[in-house]
Amino acid sequence: MTADEVFTVLDVGGTTLRIGAYDPGTDVLSRVRRVPVDGLHRDPGAPVPVLQRRVVEQIVREVAAYTGGRPPRALGVAFAGPITAAGLVRAAPTVWGRRGDPLPLGELLTERTGAPAVVVNDLTAAAWRYAATEPGDFCLLTISSGIGNKVFRGGEVLVDADGHGGELGHWVCDLSADAPLCDCGGPHAESP
């Protein structure tokens, strides 16, 4: 398999960034590498714009290291947070905490890596992956740094142009003053 035959794919979550090579001809993911994300988990006191810059820089750096400095054929990025159809990250509570300004991640990665980049919500990406083996409609539920779900029906992941579809949102589970902090940095959970 050559670099021209594979896509460079990334999964950017609240704690871990995974990068690998996906060969659509064989449906094989290979050479997966994992590193901690340079986001909220590593530096909970940093402002959102600083964390956004660090995460973008980290992705660009990891792609360059992974491809030996050559532009990849294309990038596929699964990202934790609501993502518009254009690759605009509307929020990333587990990656950089409080909302901050929306980040045009797809556009930034295309500019910085020299490769077309497609950015989707991590659960949307997972639903598409499972759709390859599931014969009918299904709902995918994940419990990780956050809790979310996506519905795959009629050959499509049900999401609107703003990236909404199937979100469970934040649920307040403990109203006490000493409740653990939410991954978004809030004292408790907040509504989306």
Side-chain angles (χ1 to χ4, degrees):
M1 142 176 62
T2 68
D4 291 338
E5 298 169 325
V6 300
F7 296 98
T8 302
V9 293
L10 298 100
D11 177 14
V12 182
T15 57
T16 305
L17 180 151
R18 295 166 201 79
I19 186 168
Y22 176 70
D23 183 340
T26 61
D27 194 32
V28 172
L29 178 66
S30 62
R31 300 180 19 238
V32 176
R33 177 169 133 59
R34 292 169 174 80
V35 296
V37 172
D38 288 340
L40 179 68
H41 185 73
R42 293 187 87 180
D43 190 359
V48 172
V50 169
L51 293 174
Q52 288 176 325
R53 277 192 303 278
R54 284 183 190 164
V55 170
V56 170
E57 291 300 323
Q58 180 183 27
I59 294 170
V60 170
R61 199 172 53 248
E62 289 296 329
V63 167
Y66 192 83
T67 62
R70 295 178 310 277
R73 174 181 178 192
L75 292 176
V77 181
F79 194 87
I83 314 291
T84 68
L88 180 72
V89 178
R90 298 174 55 87
T94 61
V95 181
W96 50 69
R98 299 233 177 243
R99 285 195 185 263
D101 290 333
L103 183 74
L105 187 58
E107 182 181 308
L108 290 170
L109 293 178
T110 296
E111 284 175 14
R112 300 284 307 280
T113 65
V118 174
V119 179
V120 297
N121 170 268
D122 53 355
L123 275 176
T124 299
W128 279 111
R129 178 69 180 111
Y130 283 109
T133 60
E134 291 297 318
D137 300 343
F138 63 91
C139 176
L140 177 66
L141 177 70
T142 186
I143 300 172
S144 181
S145 299
I147 301 172
N149 72 299
K150 289 293 182 225
V151 174
F152 192 89
R153 188 178 75 204
E156 295 289 331
V157 178
L158 301 182
V159 266
D160 66 16
D162 287 333
H164 298 110
E167 282 72 22
L168 297 175
H170 285 87
W171 291 350
V172 177
C173 299
D174 186 345
L175 298 174
S176 65
D178 60 343
L181 291 178
C182 176
D183 283 340
C184 73
H188 301 292
E190 298 177 354
S191 298

